[in-house]
Structures are given as structure tokens and as C-alpha cells.
């Protein structure tokens, strides 16, 4: 029996980075093509062909879509980041404005992504959009940076936060040993990997449960804050200090980075569009429900914090939510560390869920190792991509610290967010007749593009650091691999044997398959 990769499919709307009609040398330009309408959502054309028994199933509905957005956005940021914003601005009023502006920016960006995701229903988010708008090189550079740095570092950051809060109750007399924290973080990654490799349904159920649990934790904080407001504890809210001397352009940009870290995840649903039921409806609806819900939660939580703590107390606290619990919840204060561990575990689960789909999408177009596009023959999960991301995340956990990882992640991520906005603008002109079931006003991608440019440039101007140069150099270095291995099609002689070995060991096959007996 011979198993080989398939090509374009008939029926519905199909996107492929390289078909028989495109430049096979590049794998370069994505195409949008109209086919025969399927029953139900016309955008579900990336389902399996008749001879394609192994593929990713459409199992993500509206509720799971909202849970994925909310569950990945609400991680450790809201329990830690409020002090970061106050530290950079020294102003309650300005920090609140930044919190709301971060929520608005996330919503605008996600609405623009909804247009991109309903126009091109391939998984992979920015990767698919760059391929469509700019061609192979830009899409490869995104997959290069995201696969090796962005997604694994995000996973590592969240799991390190989980480990710190999980270990803290057992070593209350001193700071937890770094080795113990990293060991727990690695165990967390392995547990989440097992869940996601075992079943898509199990992974989404875990996401739904942990999202509900973290919303309950936020409700506890909000109710505690409301109780304090009823008692008249408003003095810290009456000092907005809009004229703070620390609110420089560079500090505001840095404060935005801190706030946006708490909101990160607003684009994650676009990574799994091939698995969304009725994507033209459920993708934008999940965004419209999920992101305002998160913004409302963040606003109410920040007000609640300030009913119990002053600005200086919040900036001095390493874990604002824990301090809040110690002062207000009494013997139930242990709920706050538990809430953070639940929140970070759920966020890490969602992060790995979408990260594996990026590997899947990029390798399917020949931009990463072939094995990363394979799916388990019985469980229909992209196991190789999930394992690959987890291994890199484990390496980052063992090597790095949270602060060093956040700095690189925030700067580099907004380069690509801005690139996605540019892709939308470009395709309004280059693909004016492509189907767009959901369409945003053109001013929205322009606004997000401008803010993205500001967030990238302002910190460099305010405080030039070598790290920014290293980040840019790492992105460009991807071309050293693109030219020989993608553009010119060079393949290492031993890779076929490794692919076959891993295929047999992991029981995985390509998602587009033909069988010859």
C-alpha cells in the first residue's frame, strides 16, 4: 500500500497554498476558488474529499469557540498584570484607559480576522492570510517564528505561571525553588499534550470546563469588590492622576504590551477554522461574544482590586489576586491561588490546541517537515505538530524565565498582527470578488495597523535594546532556510526514512490521501 499527499479538492470553497495551477516551486500563492455548494455552510469546503478518510473533523461549535477565545485570553495576566500597568503609568485613570483600549484593540483586530477567516477557511490564521496576500516567503517567515518561538514561548510562559502558583502553597515560608517550578511546568505541558493528542472532543471539553471555572473565580473577585464598594471603599478610585509624569510615549507603549499580554489569544479561533462548524456564522459570533465578555471581566476585576488595595500596594504585589484574596476572603483565601492555576491550565490547553494547527497548516504546504501535517489514523488529532510544539516549550521552560520570554513574545507578535491587517487591506484590492460572508469597515484594519506599528516602533525609540535587533535578525534568518529547502526544493537524504519511522511509530498519515493497492 502506498500513501501519498493529495492535491486540490472539488466542492465548496477550497484554499490551498499550492495547486496544479500555481507555482510549485514556491508553494507560493494561496488561491480562493468557488466550487459546488455543500449543504449547510458553504464555507465548509475544506472537509475531506471522498477518498480522504483521515482528516480534521468539524467539532468546534459556537459555545466551544467562545470558550476557546475566553479560555485562552484569560490566563494569568489579569491576576498579575494590573500592577504592571500601574507601574509603567503611575496613574489609575491612565491604566484604566489602557485596559479598555487594549480590549477595544483586541476586538477590532479580531473582527478584521473574522473577515479573513470567513474568506479563507484554512487553519493557520496569519499563515494562511500571508500566503494568500503576499505569497510563500512571508508565510514561511511567520511559520518559522511562530513555530520555533511565539507559540512555544507563550505555552512556556503560561505553564511557568501555573507552576509558580501551584507550588506556592507548599513552600509558603520562602520562594519556591526554580528547579521545582520548572519541573511542575514540564509536567503541566505533558498532561496537556496527552489530552490534546488523545481526543479533540476531550481537549474542547477540558477547555469548556476550565473556562467556566475561571469565570467563577472572576465572579468571586467582582462580588468581593462590589461588597467593598457598598461599604464605601472608593478612595483609591477617586485619584485618577491623569497628569502622571511617567506616562511617556514609550512607557504607554510598554504598558500596552503588558495589558495586551492579558488579552492575547483574541485571534486563536482563526487557527482552527477547518474544525469550526458553520464558520461563516460561528467565527464572527464567537468573537463578538467572547472579547467583550473578557473586556468586561477585566474592567470589573480592576475596579475590585482598587477597592481593597492602593496603587502602591498593587505595584508592590507580585500576585495582585492573591493579595486581594488574603485581605478579603479570610480562610477562603486559598481560592485565589487555585483560581490562577485553573486559569493558566485552561489557557495553556487552548494555546497548545491552536499551536498544533499552525504546524499542521504550514507543513501541509511544504513549509515545515512533512510529518508535522500528519493526523492520527483513529483519533484525528494533529499529534506530530502538538508533540513538536510541546518539546520546544519544554526546552524554553528549562532554559528561560517569564520576563525574558514575555519581552520577545510581545514585540514580535505585533509585527505579524500588523502584517495580517496589511494582508486584509491588500486583498480588498487584489481579490475584490472573493466571497466575504463577514466584512468589516476598511477603517478598522487601518487603525489596527497603525497601532501595531506604534507598538513595535515606540519601545525601540524610547529605549533601544539589542533584543529588538536579535528579534528582527531571527525573523530575517528564516530566509536562509526558505531558499534552499522550500524555494529550491532541497531535501536531506535521510528525512524520508525519519518521516516513515515517525509515521509508523505515531500511527499518523497525511490528511489528503490516496490509496493504491
Amino acid at each position: 500500500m502506498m500513501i501519498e499527499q493529495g492535491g486540490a479538492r472539488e466542492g465548496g470553497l477550497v484554499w490551498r497554498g499550492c495547486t496544479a495551477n500555481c507555482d510549485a516551486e514556491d508553494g507560493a500563492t494561496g488561491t480562493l476558488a468557488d466550487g459546488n455548494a455543500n449543504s449547510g455552510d458553504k464555507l465548509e469546503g475544506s472537509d475531506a474529499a471522498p477518498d480522504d478518510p483521515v482528516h480534521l473533523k468539524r467539532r468546534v461549535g459556537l459555545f466551544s469557540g467562545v470558550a476557546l477565545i475566553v479560555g485562552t485570553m484569560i490566563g494569568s495576566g489579569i491576576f498579575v498584570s494590573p500592577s504592571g500597568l500601574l507601574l509603567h503609568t503611575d496613574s489609575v485613570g491612565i491604566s484604566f484607559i489602557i485596559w479598555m483600549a487594549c480590549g477595544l484593540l483586541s476586538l477590532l483586530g479580531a473582527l478584521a480576522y473574522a473577515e479573513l477567516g470567513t474568506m479563507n477557511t484554512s487553519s493557520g490564521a496569519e499563515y494562511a492570510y500571508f500566503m494568500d496576500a503576499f505569497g510563500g516567503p512571508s508565510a514561511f517567515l511567520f511559520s518559522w517564528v511562530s513555530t520555533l518561538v511565539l507559540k512555544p514561548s507563550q505555552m512556556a510562559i503560561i505553564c511557568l505561571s501555573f507552576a509558580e502558583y501551584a507550588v506556592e502553597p507548599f513552600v509558603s515560608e520562602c520562594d519556591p525553588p526554580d528547579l521545582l517550578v520548572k519541573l511542575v511546568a514540564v509536567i503541566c505541558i505533558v498532561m496537556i499534550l496527552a489530552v490534546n493528542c488523545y481526543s479533540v472532543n476531550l481537549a474542547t471539553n477540558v477547555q469548556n470546563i476550565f473556562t467556566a471555572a475561571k469565570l467563577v473565580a472572576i465572579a468571586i473577585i467582582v462580588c468581593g469588590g462590589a461588597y467593598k464598594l457598598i461599604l464605601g471603599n472608593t478612595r483609591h478610585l477617586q485619584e485618577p492622576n491623569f497628569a502622571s509624569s511617567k506616562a511617556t510615549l514609550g512607557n504607554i507603549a510598554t504598558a500596552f504590551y503588558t495589558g495586551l499580554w492579558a488579552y492575547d489569544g483574541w485571534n486563536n479561533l482563526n487557527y482552527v477554522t477547518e474544525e469550526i462548524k458553520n464558520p461563516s456564522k460561528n467565527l464572527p459570533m464567537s468573537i463578538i461574544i467572547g472579547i467583550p465578555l473578557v473586556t468586561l471581566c477585566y474592567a470589573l476585576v480592576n475596579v475590585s482590586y482598587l477597592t481593597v488595595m492602593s496603587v502602591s500596594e498593587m505595584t508592590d504585589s507580585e500576585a495582585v489576586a492573591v493579595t486581594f484574596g488574603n485581605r478579603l476572603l479570610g480562610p477562603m483565601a486559598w481560592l485565589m491561588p487555585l483560581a490562577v492555576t485553573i486559569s493558566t491550565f485552561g489557557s495553556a490547553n487552548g494555546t497548545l490546541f491552536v499551536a498544533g494547527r499552525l504546524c499542521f497548516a504550514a507543513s501541509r504546504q511544504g513549509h515545515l517537515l512533512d510529518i508535522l501535517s500528519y493526523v492520527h489514523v483513529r483519533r484525528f488529532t494533529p499529534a506530530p505538530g502538538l508533540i513538536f510544539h510541546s518539546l520546544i516549550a519544554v526546552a524554553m521552560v528549562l532554559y528561560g524565565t517569564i520576563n525574558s520570554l514575555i519581552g520577545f513574545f510581545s514585540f514580535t507578535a505585533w509585527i505579524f498582527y500588523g502584517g495580517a491587517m496589511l494582508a486584509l487591506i491588500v486583498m480588498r484590492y487584489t481579490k475584490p470578488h472573493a466571497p466575504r460572508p463577514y466584512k468589516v469597515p476598511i477603517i478598522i484594519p487601518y487603525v489596527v495597523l497603525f497601532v501595531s506599528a506604534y507598538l513595535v516602533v515606540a519601545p525601540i525609540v524610547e529605549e533601544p535594546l539589542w533584543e529588538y535587533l536579535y528579534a528582527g535578525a531571527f525573523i530575517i534568518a528564516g530566509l536562509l532556510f526558505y531558499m534552499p529547502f522550500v524555494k529550491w526544493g532541497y531535501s536531506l537524504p535521510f528525512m524520508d526514512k525519519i518521516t516513515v519511522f515517525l509515521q509508523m511509530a505515531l500511527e499518523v498519515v497525511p490528511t489528503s490521501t490516496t490509496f493504491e493497492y
Side-chain angles (χ1 to χ4, degrees):
M1 182 181 72
M2 182 179 70
I3 301 175
E4 60 184 13
Q5 298 258 172
R9 299 174 183 166
E10 298 178 355
L13 179 70
V14 184
W15 182 93
R16 285 292 179 264
C18 184
T19 68
N21 297 321
C22 79
D23 183 0
E25 183 181 49
D26 267 346
T29 55
T31 58
L32 287 164
D34 289 312
N36 300 322
N38 291 341
S39 61
D41 190 345
K42 294 181 180 179
L43 293 179
E44 295 191 2
S46 55
D47 278 344
D51 65 345
D52 186 4
V54 181
H55 57 279
L56 297 180
K57 310 285 188 180
R58 290 191 181 275
R59 294 172 174 171
V60 180
L62 178 61
F63 184 82
S64 294
V66 172
L68 182 62
I69 292 174
V70 174
T72 52
M73 288 179 71
I74 302 177
S76 62
I78 189 57
F79 302 103
V80 180
S81 290
S83 57
L85 266 70
L86 289 170
L87 186 64
H88 292 302
T89 62
D90 195 28
S91 166
V92 172
I94 294 175
S95 68
F96 264 101
I97 290 174
I98 292 175
W99 272 112
M100 295 301 99
C102 288
L104 178 61
L105 178 62
S106 299
L107 179 60
L108 294 179
L111 291 175
Y113 270 63
E115 175 177 331
L116 290 166
T118 55
M119 183 176 69
N120 180 340
T121 58
S122 287
S123 292
E126 293 93 343
Y127 175 83
Y129 314 145
F130 289 170
M131 182 75 84
D132 238 4
F134 310 124
S138 59
F140 175 83
L141 291 180
F142 172 76
S143 64
W144 159 262
V145 176
S146 294
T147 302
L148 295 181
V149 177
L150 291 186
K151 292 301 179 184
S153 68
Q154 188 179 14
M155 180 79 173
I157 292 165
I158 297 169
C159 289
L160 283 169
S161 297
F162 166 86
E164 287 185 353
Y165 283 94
V167 169
E168 186 177 7
F170 302 100
V171 288
S172 57
E173 296 181 359
C174 59
D175 292 334
D178 286 343
L179 182 60
L180 179 60
V181 170
K182 292 182 176 182
L183 178 61
V184 173
V186 170
I187 293 173
C188 176
I189 293 173
V190 172
M191 290 174 60
I192 292 170
L193 173 63
V195 167
N196 279 268
C197 285
Y198 183 79
S199 166
V200 172
N201 284 338
L202 177 60
T204 55
N205 287 337
V206 167
Q207 192 66 31
N208 295 345
I209 293 169
F210 277 79
T211 298
K214 67 179 70 179
L215 289 177
V216 170
I218 286 177
I220 292 173
I221 295 175
V222 171
C223 290
Y227 171 74
K228 283 294 186 180
L229 283 176
I230 292 172
L231 295 180
N233 288 21
T234 61
R235 62 185 183 278
H236 302 313
L237 296 169
Q238 296 173 354
E239 304 170 359
N241 188 22
F242 285 108
S244 171
S245 60
K246 294 187 68 175
T248 63
L249 288 177
N251 281 342
I252 289 176
T254 306
F256 261 99
Y257 275 142
T258 304
L260 288 169
W261 165 247
Y263 280 96
D264 197 74
W266 52 265
N267 64 328
N268 275 346
L269 195 58
N270 288 66
Y271 284 92
V272 298
T273 45
E274 288 180 31
E275 296 169 78
I276 300 175
K277 302 173 184 176
N278 195 2
S280 64
K281 176 184 176 182
N282 287 335
L283 177 59
M285 281 299 296
S286 297
I287 289 168
I288 292 169
I289 295 171
I291 296 178
L293 175 61
V294 172
T295 304
L296 177 64
C297 288
Y298 284 1
L300 295 176
V301 166
N302 275 280
V303 170
S304 299
Y305 287 154
L306 286 167
T307 62
V308 175
M309 290 173 279
S310 66
V311 171
S312 60
E313 288 171 333
M314 285 184 67
T315 55
D316 290 340
S317 175
E318 294 184 359
V320 179
V322 174
T323 303
F324 176 90
N326 290 337
R327 295 192 177 184
L328 192 63
L329 300 180
M332 302 296 290
W334 55 269
L335 285 173
M336 287 300 98
L338 177 63
V340 178
T341 56
I342 290 173
S343 183
T344 48
F345 188 89
S347 184
N349 178 73
T351 299
L352 184 61
F353 184 84
V354 302
R357 275 65 183 175
L358 173 60
C359 265
F360 167 82
S363 57
R364 183 174 57 183
Q365 303 302 328
H367 284 185
L368 294 174
L369 300 176
D370 288 343
I371 188 67
L372 300 181
S373 68
Y374 290 11
V375 170
H376 196 277
V377 293
R378 293 186 303 277
R379 306 193 185 281
F380 308 112
T381 57
L386 295 168
I387 294 170
F388 182 74
H389 269 287
S390 299
L391 290 174
I392 299 177
V394 167
M396 288 184 169
V397 163
L398 297 176
Y399 175 77
T401 62
I402 292 179
N403 291 334
S404 63
L405 291 173
I406 287 179
F408 183 90
F409 174 87
S410 299
F411 171 76
T412 312
W414 278 96
I415 294 176
F416 293 115
Y417 293 155
M421 297 303 106
L422 185 60
L424 190 154
I425 295 168
V426 167
M427 286 192 287
R428 283 288 183 93
Y429 297 99
T430 60
K431 301 180 185 293
H433 303 299
R436 290 178 171 86
Y438 180 85
K439 191 174 182 179
V440 295
I442 192 62
I443 188 63
I444 288 180
Y446 276 109
V447 169
V448 180
L449 177 60
F450 174 79
V451 175
S452 301
Y454 168 74
L455 290 173
V456 171
V457 173
I460 298 176
V461 174
E462 181 76 11
E463 187 180 1
L465 296 173
W466 284 105
E467 283 78 0
Y468 299 131
L469 180 62
Y470 297 153
F474 183 82
I475 295 173
I476 300 301
L479 293 175
L480 299 177
F481 291 85
Y482 174 80
M483 295 305 293
F485 295 109
V486 179
K487 179 72 174 178
W488 298 327
Y490 177 75
S491 179
L492 297 174
F494 53 83
M495 284 308 302
D496 287 342
K497 294 182 180 179
I498 293 177
T499 299
V500 171
F501 171 77
L502 291 175
Q503 185 176 356
M504 296 177 66
L506 299 176
E507 296 184 307
V508 293
V509 294
T511 55
S512 295
T513 57
T514 57
F515 297 87
E516 294 182 13
Y517 292 90

